[in-house]
């Protein structure tokens, strides 16, 4: 059973493809994922194990978490995005702390700047997913943020699900200079699932950023996407204690609107 599931892409239904990285040939797996979602780039080993642990330790030592929303703990730097009242940004007095600067610079320089599109990173949100019930619902990041969204993963591996959307108007052709508002998009039903490795970097540009929604489902729903062997696929063992699950993500974006 497990052997069968260890192939890279599982066709769960006609529209859902599950991609679990690193089980076969990681390079061809990544190539195939990047070809399926235009604008998506995945760097599984962006941070070394030591760099990932040092970063997580720093976050834990600072312990600045906010409990503003019920679905997970968050922490925002640079600008505060108001989740509770339909968006809206407020500039924070404090600068983005220095411990994040080396990572920000590496992301901005990635592949000679071809991955990170101007302007510079000016907003960072940390999300903490713990136990069975924490999540982020499917969404496209606010258009108050710029063309690139970069997500670093720390802690335990974590399932992300990407949902394809397409313009409702069959004559509308999407291009990066003409962003179509979410109310003018509809779901195609196609989903891609990816288990994000600790230390990995996921970069969303183009269609991946503006046409595909992304979500971190509650851990209690992962079986639906990964099948019976979900624990082995996600965590490498059926013995993993799901109650001890903890993953911290850092989402880096630029603010492209005037903020009062
Ligand atoms: O935790 C993640 O990987 C996703 C976070 C996210 O989508 C966001 O902050 O907008
Ligand atoms: Fe997001």
């Amino acid at each position: 059973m497990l052997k069968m599931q260890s192939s890279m892409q599982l066709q769960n239904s006609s529209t859902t493809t599950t991609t679990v990285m690193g089980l076969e040939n990681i390079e061809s797996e990544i190539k195939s994922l990047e070809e399926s979602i235009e604008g998506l780039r995945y760097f599984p080993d962006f941070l070394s194990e030591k760099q990932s642990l040092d970063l997580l330790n720093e976050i834990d030592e600072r312990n600045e978490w906010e409990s503003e929303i019920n679905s997970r703990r968050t922490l925002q730097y640079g600008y505060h995005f108001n989740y509770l009242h339909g968006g809206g940004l407020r500039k924070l007095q404090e600068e983005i702390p220095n411990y994040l600067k080396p990572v920000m610079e590496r992301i901005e320089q990635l592949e000679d700047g071809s991955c990170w599109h101007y302007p510079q990173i000016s907003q960072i949100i940390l999300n903490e997913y713990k136990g069975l019930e924490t999540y982020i619902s499917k969404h496209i990041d606010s258009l108050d943020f710029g063309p690139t969204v970069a997500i670093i993963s720390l802690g335990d591996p974590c399932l992300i699900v990407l949902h394809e959307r397409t313009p409702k108007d069959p004559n509308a052709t999407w291009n990066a200079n003409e962003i179509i508002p979410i109310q003018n998009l509809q779901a195609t039903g196609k989903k891609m699932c990816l288990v994000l490795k600790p230390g990995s970097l996921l970069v969303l540009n183009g269609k991946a950023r503006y046409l595909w929604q992304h979500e971190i489902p509650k851990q209690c729903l992962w079986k639906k996407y990964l099948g019976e062997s979900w624990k082995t696929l996600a965590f490498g063992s059926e013995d993993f204690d799901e109650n001890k699950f903890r993953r911290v993500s850092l989402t880096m974006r630029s603010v492209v609107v005037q903020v009062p």
Side-chain angles (χ1 to χ4, degrees):
M1 184 61 181
L2 191 58
K3 184 86 197 101
M4 246 183 66
Q5 293 205 325
S6 72
S7 70
M8 188 278 284
Q9 296 203 326
L10 313 171
Q11 210 66 39
N12 302 0
S13 70
S14 58
T15 51
T16 306
T17 307
T18 302
T19 302
V20 183
M21 290 292 169
L23 296 169
E24 302 266 295
N25 175 344
I26 186 114
E27 270 164 34
S28 69
E29 290 168 5
I30 293 173
K31 191 160 172 273
S32 152
L33 176 75
E34 292 177 346
E35 277 168 2
S36 303
I37 306 183
E38 207 181 304
L40 180 145
R41 300 292 313 276
Y42 181 62
F43 302 88
D45 301 310
F46 180 70
L47 298 178
S48 68
E49 219 176 301
K50 181 174 182 321
Q51 287 169 328
S52 304
L53 286 174
D54 287 351
L55 198 51
L56 192 53
N57 282 340
E58 175 81 36
I59 293 165
D60 284 340
E61 270 165 29
R62 296 171 71 98
N63 196 21
E64 299 166 312
W65 291 105
E66 294 152 13
S67 301
E68 190 183 358
I69 47 178
N70 294 329
S71 49
R72 63 195 183 280
R73 291 203 295 179
T74 56
L75 168 56
Q76 306 200 43
Y77 290 127
Y79 289 81
H80 181 272
F81 181 78
N82 189 341
Y83 285 98
L84 297 177
H85 300 104
L89 286 163
R90 169 168 59 85
K91 184 147 179 37
L92 296 169
Q93 299 237 302
E94 209 187 309
E95 292 286 306
I96 295 178
N98 284 337
Y99 83 95
L100 292 169
K101 296 277 158 73
V103 175
M104 289 161 64
E105 275 162 28
R106 268 193 68 199
I107 291 175
E108 287 168 349
Q109 292 311 314
L110 206 64
E111 300 188 345
D112 289 331
S114 65
C115 270
W116 182 269
H117 297 148
Y118 187 81
Q120 288 181 314
I121 295 169
S122 57
Q123 201 263 1
I124 301 181
I125 177 157
L126 275 63
N127 289 295
E128 183 196 49
Y129 305 87
K130 231 175 147 178
L132 303 178
E133 298 290 336
T134 52
Y135 65 95
I136 188 165
S137 318
K138 65 179 173 191
H139 66 280
I140 289 174
D141 284 20
S142 162
L143 301 184
D144 289 354
F145 299 117
T148 311
V149 175
I151 302 170
I152 288 182
S153 288
L154 304 172
D156 287 316
C158 184
L159 176 67
I160 187 165
V161 184
L162 295 118
H163 305 254
E164 188 184 46
R165 297 186 86 87
T166 187
K168 282 182 188 163
D169 175 358
N171 298 318
T173 47
W174 188 88
N175 72 74
N177 300 320
E178 223 176 293
I179 299 160
I180 301 173
I182 181 115
Q183 63 270 23
N184 296 342
L185 298 173
Q186 63 191 359
T188 65
K190 185 174 171 194
K191 299 184 185 80
M192 296 284 296
C193 305
L194 166 65
V195 176
L196 296 167
K197 201 178 155 239
S200 69
L201 172 70
L202 182 70
V203 184
L204 307 176
N205 275 305
K207 287 189 180 175
R209 192 266 184 254
Y210 291 115
L211 280 190
W212 286 73
Q213 293 179 301
H214 51 276
E215 97 174 282
I216 306 290
K218 291 179 182 180
Q219 204 201 162
C220 56
L221 300 175
W222 291 15
K223 192 164 151 185
K224 181 176 115 191
Y225 294 105
L226 297 175
E228 282 301 319
S229 302
W230 68 279
K231 267 201 195 179
T232 300
L233 287 173
F235 305 117
S237 159
E238 287 301 304
D239 296 333
F240 182 84
D241 179 354
E242 64 262 48
N243 295 301
K244 298 215 170 104
F245 168 74
R246 181 175 185 239
R247 179 236 183 191
V248 170
S249 67
L250 294 92
T251 303
M252 315 223 172
R253 301 174 287 209
S254 52
V255 170
V256 293
V257 288
Q258 268 324 78
V259 176

